[in-house]
Amino acid sequence: MCTNIVYEWLKTLQLPQYAESFVDNGYDDLEVCKQIGDPDLDAIGVAAPHHRRRIHEAVRRLKEADEAAAGLYFT
C-alpha cells in the first residue's frame, strides 16, 4: 500500500484500514473524497455506523475548509 494523501487523511481519522478500498474505488484524492455519500461508503465497504459518521464529519470539515480558503481570495 503506497502512502498517499487519502491514506494520511484516513489515518488521522483512525480508519486506515479503508485506504486500499478508497483508492480501488477511485477515491485517491481529497477533492474526490469531498463527494462521498452513503452509496459510496457502501461501495467502499464502510459498514460500521460510527466509521460512517466519522467519515461524513471529516468530509464536512474538508468542505468547510475549502469555503474558508475561498473566502480568503475575496478579502
Side-chain angles (χ1 to χ4, degrees), residues 4-44:
N4 69 22
I5 190 72
V6 174
Y7 172 76
E8 293 299 324
W9 178 64
L10 288 167
K11 200 164 90 171
T12 65
L13 301 176
Q14 299 177 338
L15 299 171
Q17 67 270 33
Y18 297 113
E20 191 170 343
S21 292
F22 266 68
V23 172
D24 288 348
N25 283 278
Y27 296 94
D28 55 356
D29 183 87
L30 291 182
E31 285 301 313
V32 179
C33 288
K34 290 176 195 170
Q35 309 305 316
I36 289 176
D38 283 320
D40 306 301
L41 293 179
D42 292 338
I44 292 167

Side-chain angles (χ1 to χ4, degrees), residues 3 19 26 34 38 40 62 64 74:
T3 301
K34 290 176 195 170
D38 283 320
D40 306 301
L62 285 174
E64 285 177 356
F74 298 110

